[in-house]
């Protein structure tokens, strides 16, 4: 533990917060996001809304200026216009603030000389006053254990994933989607232009943070390549690291420059570095969520042998293709196991190979339970994947298959090997509702849920590669 | 037009149908699928339910046997057990049937010697009686213009896509999903084990069928490779052909054998053949639907220059990456166009590059309309892609962005170049409903809708490659 660690830890656990620039008139205005979230999360310390108009907000006195706040503040979340940012920093410094988060955009990312200067002035003010800056142009901190959030809908539960994101939107996407699938976060920080505290500072903190076991990164570029590389190596040796790198191409680089004033760097270099350090590198945020879900719910599986279970011949073939294309194997069920299976199920023989199409067999829960136990005890199987695809069924089949899938999901809980479940969405409203309900059941039963055959196979490939390299690195 | 064409055409347009084996007792039983669909589609010719128990079904007399049907029948849909299949063929032949469709499974696909013999007997009976067989182990025909369907939910409208599928489930998935996105079919046939009429017979028919402009194929294997290859070449010269090939790997081959008794063949050979013939080859059914949607709604675009429009910096970077990774270019908006844009919008300058992040600009419909016109008149742009991603927004932003996206979708209708729209689904129930509504609006406005950044970029890549090769083949 270092002084730097303690400072960052204090920033993630503020004792009091000023909400500078929060709107009192319009409850739907975006500046209310932080205030509403702190209220929803029941932040325990003092909260001070600040707005030149004064008045009252949710029963709290609104201060016309940071100066007017009685006593000290620990942290400030600012949604004020860019040009007054340095002044706000000075005022917060006078009140003893350790850090100020500027959600405000309109700094260096716009490319204008005047606003780039403004950002430089902000950095100088921070350095002069000792106040640290988060942002500008970002969503700041989400830390369930300190009841700090930037969306009212994020989970109030803590988990083991730390997440540093250069994009606020991509972080919101990831947190919401991952939360729904049962993944919880220890600390998240959306860093935007990262003019003062940057990705390396937060990465260093998360390496040391005992609550964080998995470090997720969405980066468009890094400020100090050498330092970041060293930290990434340390992180990869101590924790599991998952990184999405945005803006690898020509227009992508242009987009990251205008998004967070970042220099994106070459994709090939990042790919090589991640392979070398065994950093999992999904291509996009969807895959990031899929990987986090896999890491959360699937204990490290030993090999690439998969058992596939689901209704429908054509769907089974498609799922098999997705796995085989990625170097997985489907061991053929042996005659011995097949005979045992036939001993307690009325199954048609052809359905007991692998993939296992149960649509015409094993309609009773007891035999499905026994079948899953028997098949997952088998040493040739490293993990199991089930699936439900409501769009492939006529109305006549849907109800039957829905019940059967429910049963498979339950039987999967008896598996001796890690399991995953795919629940594909569907177009009609009824089927959407059915898929949604099925996905909820999978999540509630503590299994990883995926939304497409390809998505599941790709996430499992990324994690299988990681598991394999991890062993060879030991 | 050949005698063969006329026969197949007659099979797709039966004048009367016997439903042999339809259950009268349980309205949810799968054997009711065909009967219910014919009723829902208001099939115009005589319909004869056949079941040994007799009685009545939906006010129709149920015949105890095919023999008892008064007069002739043109076509029979059979859901009887495999062992009586040859006998049914003989009875149907006596009634003048041109073809019999066996939905019934339990033939050669089970791998049993007895049932493989049964399938051979079925083929012999067909040959002897002159009745043609569809299947067994399949869903048969969907042909909106003759009011024949195998699902009550399929569209009643005809389109220009002919589809031959070895898998019933994969065909149902494709039809449902494509229908919802505005793609309509001329003729679909699910062929299963294809013991008599096979993929080549139907492909030959669809090449000649004037209603069919696009031929979609889901195949696990072909019976007569040489004939099929010749037909595929003819098809590819006269129409647009899209093929998904299932079961390329080792277990995939095992799965196709047990699914439709097919020999799958090598993936590499199929890839090479499709490239040579300019057959579009998506990896799976999701991509098949994406490609059909693209072909339906996007006039052949000339090049690979794309203009991306949507809310959120991080999302814009991610979408840019998906396109650049696949060889597309995002031309940088010129200073001249940018000045023109700034003339009528209150936009921040940085948002007018490409990708265009409109979340902080162009909030009024008029200027968005003008901006899209201006940008799509620009010769550097070949097509436009908009996107809506509800999961990336806090509650505070959602409503604003939803309105803005609605506006962009409307403004896109003024585009001088082909357009596509991505509407990502989202996890919470509210956001799911919002995404669903937005997707419906896109479909209603006659645009192709995609469900993820990667899916859109991949479908557009497949079609861009096709368009390019098509020109070089001329």
């Amino acid at each position: 533990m270092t002084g730097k660690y303690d400072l960052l830890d204090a920033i993630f656990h503020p004792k009091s917060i000023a909400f500078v620039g929060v709107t009192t008139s319009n409850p739907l205005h975006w500046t209310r996001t932080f205030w509403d979230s702190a209220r929803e999360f029941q932040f325990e310390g003092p909260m001070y809304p600040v707005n030149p108009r004064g008045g009252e907000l949710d029963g709290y006195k609104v201060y016309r200026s940071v100066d007017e706040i009685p006593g000290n503040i620990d942290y400030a979340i600012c949604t004020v216009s860019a040009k007054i940012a340095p002044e706000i920093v000075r005022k917060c410094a006078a009140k003893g603030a350790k850090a100020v988060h500027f959600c405000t955009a309109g700094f260096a990312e716009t490319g204008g000389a005047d606003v780039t200067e403004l950002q430089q002035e902000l950095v100088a003010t921070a350095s002069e006053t000792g106040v640290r800056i988060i942002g500008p142009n970002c969503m700041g901190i989400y830390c369930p254990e300190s009841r700090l959030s930037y969306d009212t809908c994020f989970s109030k539960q803590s988990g083991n994933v730390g997440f540093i994101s250069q994009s606020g939107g991509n972080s919101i996407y990831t947190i919401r989607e991952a939360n729904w699938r049962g993944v919880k976060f220890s600390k998240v920080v959306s860093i935007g232009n990262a003019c003062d505290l940057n990705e390396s500072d937060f990465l260093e903190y998360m390496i040391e943070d005992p609550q964080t076991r998995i470090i997720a990164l969405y980066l468009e570029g890094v400020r100090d390549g050498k330092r970041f590389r060293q930290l990434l190596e340390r992180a990869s040796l101590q924790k599991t690291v998952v990184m999405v790198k945005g803006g690898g191409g020509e227009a992508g680089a242009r987009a990251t420059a205008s998004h967070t004033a970042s220099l994106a760097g070459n994709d090939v270099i990042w790919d090589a570095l991640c392979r070398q350090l065994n950093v999992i590198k999904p291509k996009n945020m969807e895959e990031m969520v899929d990987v986090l879900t896999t890491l959360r719910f699937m204990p490290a599986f030993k090999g690439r042998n998969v058992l596939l279970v689901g209704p429908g011949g054509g769907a089974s073939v498609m799922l098999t293709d997705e796995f085989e294309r990625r170097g997985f194997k489907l061991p053929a069920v042996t005659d011995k196991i097949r005979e045992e299976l036939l001993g307690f199920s009325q199954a048609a023989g052809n359905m007991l190979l692998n993939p296992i199409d149960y649509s015409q067999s094993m309609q009773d829960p007891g035999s499905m339970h026994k079948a899953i136990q028997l098949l997952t005890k088998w040493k040739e199987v490293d993990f199991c994947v089930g699936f439900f695809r409501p769009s492939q069924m006529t109305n006549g089949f849907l109800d039957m298959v829905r019940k059967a899938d429910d049963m498979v999901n339950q039987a999967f809980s008896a598996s001796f090997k890690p399991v995953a479940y795919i629940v594909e969405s569907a177009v009609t409203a009824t089927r959407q509702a059915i898929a949604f309900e099925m996905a909820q059941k999978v999540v509630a039963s503590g299994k990883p849920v995926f939304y497409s055959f390809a998505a599941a196979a790709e996430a499992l490939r990324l994690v299988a590669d990681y598991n394999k390299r991890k062993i060879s690195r030991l």
Side-chain angles (χ1 to χ4, degrees), chain A:
Chain A
M1 305 287 163
T2 64
K4 186 78 177 286
Y5 174 85
D6 292 335
L7 173 70
L8 269 287
D9 202 51
I11 292 174
F12 276 98
H13 301 86
K15 305 234 177 327
S16 58
I17 311 176
F19 297 82
V20 187
V22 61
T23 302
T24 54
S25 53
N26 176 6
L28 291 174
H29 196 267
W30 68 270
T31 62
R32 284 284 277 274
T33 302
F34 305 97
W35 174 263
D36 291 346
S37 301
R39 295 262 298 153
E40 172 67 31
F41 274 67
Q42 301 185 290
F43 180 75
E44 287 177 322
M47 290 166 56
Y48 306 105
V50 179
N51 187 305
R53 293 186 193 172
E56 220 181 67
L57 178 58
D58 294 334
Y60 288 70
K61 174 180 162 63
V62 177
Y63 298 90
R64 287 175 197 278
S65 161
V66 173
D67 313 324
E68 289 182 15
I69 296 172
N72 276 356
I73 55 165
D74 209 28
Y75 186 64
I77 299 172
C78 302
T79 49
V80 298
S81 73
K83 63 181 187 299
I84 64 163
E87 180 196 333
I88 297 289
V89 170
R90 262 179 228 109
K91 286 184 176 176
C92 290
K95 285 283 171 189
K98 292 186 190 71
V100 179
H101 155 215
F102 285 98
C103 179
T104 316
F107 287 90
E109 82 281 4
T110 62
D114 48 340
V115 281
T116 303
E117 259 174 51
L118 190 64
Q119 185 166 313
Q120 283 160 357
E121 190 192 335
L122 185 64
V123 176
T125 314
S127 159
E128 178 193 306
T129 57
V131 170
R132 302 310 300 258
I133 309 287
I134 298 177
N137 184 24
C138 73
M139 298 304 286
I141 291 174
Y142 161 51
C143 178
E145 65 184 9
S146 62
R147 307 196 175 188
L148 193 58
S149 176
Y150 49 89
D151 190 21
T152 53
C153 302
F154 290 166
S155 174
K156 294 180 183 75
Q157 285 180 289
S158 272
N160 67 2
V161 181
F163 182 22
I164 303 165
S165 177
Q166 219 151 346
S167 159
N170 284 352
S171 78
I172 296 166
Y173 174 87
T174 304
I175 298 164
R176 281 180 169 272
E177 296 280 333
N179 274 174
W180 197 88
R181 288 156 79 176
V183 175
K184 312 293 173 186
F185 294 83
S186 52
K187 279 100 190 167
V188 178
V189 59
S190 148
I191 60 173
N193 295 11
C195 73
D196 177 31
L197 287 172
N198 64 30
E199 56 287 344
S200 291
D201 298 314
F202 290 110
L203 180 55
E204 192 167 30
Y205 169 71
M206 288 191 185
I207 293 171
E208 293 187 32
D209 177 44
Q211 268 81 53
T212 300
R213 290 302 316 149
I214 294 164
I215 299 174
L217 300 162
Y218 169 76
L219 294 179
E220 298 184 344
V222 296
R223 273 110 202 112
D224 178 348
K226 198 178 158 196
R227 181 179 169 216
F228 183 79
R229 199 213 165 284
Q230 285 169 346
L231 287 167
L232 195 65
E233 178 157 12
R234 243 176 76 199
S236 74
L237 289 167
Q238 295 178 41
K239 314 211 162 172
T240 301
V241 185
V242 191
M243 173 161 81
V244 170
K245 175 65 188 57
E250 191 186 322
R254 198 167 64 226
T256 59
S258 74
H259 179 219
T260 56
S262 297
L263 292 171
N266 190 307
D267 247 2
V268 180
I269 295 168
W270 284 101
D271 282 347
L273 180 64
C274 289
R275 211 166 26 247
Q276 187 195 334
L277 300 182
N278 202 17
V279 167
I280 305 176
K281 192 167 177 292
K283 287 187 292 297
N284 50 46
M285 303 323 286
E286 291 86 338
E287 286 183 13
M288 165 76 93
V289 177
D290 291 335
V291 165
L292 293 178
T293 305
T294 309
L295 292 170
R296 168 69 185 84
F297 292 108
M298 290 186 84
F301 38 96
K302 285 198 326 210
R304 301 181 88 90
N305 284 353
V306 56
L307 179 81
L308 302 180
V309 184
S316 295
V317 172
M318 290 288 94
L319 184 57
T320 300
D321 285 354
E322 295 295 349
F323 276 93
E324 291 207 315
R325 197 175 280 150
R326 291 172 174 85
F328 290 98
K329 302 262 177 214
L330 283 82
V333 174
T334 61
D335 289 348
K336 188 170 164 286
I337 293 176
R338 202 168 153 194
E339 265 165 45
E340 277 190 73
L341 285 167
L342 287 166
F344 57 80
S345 97
Q346 9 93 307
N350 68 311
M351 299 301 168
L352 295 169
L353 296 165
N354 184 21
I356 293 183
D357 174 357
Y358 65 80
S359 54
Q360 300 186 29
S361 59
M362 300 192 284
Q363 301 288 350
D364 65 298
S367 67
M368 181 52 89
H369 197 91
K370 273 171 80 177
I372 292 297
Q373 288 195 319
L374 183 63
L375 286 160
T376 58
K377 259 186 200 163
W378 181 32
K379 66 174 179 16
E380 291 296 318
V381 168
D382 296 315
F383 64 96
C384 271
V385 180
F387 71 88
F388 179 61
R389 179 180 240 197
S391 272
Q392 77 176 0
M393 285 157 241
T394 59
N395 289 340
F397 273 107
L398 183 59
D399 202 52
M400 188 184 93
V401 175
R402 182 185 178 181
K403 281 180 195 143
D405 249 85
D406 216 10
M407 194 181 74
V408 174
N409 179 40
Q410 283 176 42
F412 261 31
S413 301
S415 169
F416 290 101
K417 303 282 167 62
V419 292
Y421 220 93
I422 301 163
V423 180
E424 280 213 345
S425 193
V427 287
T428 60
T430 348
R431 277 176 168 71
Q432 267 205 344
I434 290 170
F436 192 71
E437 188 194 293
M438 183 70 199
Q440 275 180 315
K441 281 183 190 169
V442 174
V443 173
S445 68
K447 297 185 197 77
V449 72
F450 299 98
Y451 302 132
S452 82
F453 294 175
E458 185 63 12
L460 289 165
R461 179 188 74 79
L462 287 165
V463 173
D465 286 352
Y466 168 77
N467 290 339
K468 194 181 161 196
R469 284 202 208 100
K470 196 179 172 187
I471 290 165
S472 68
R473 249 181 134 193
L474 293 177

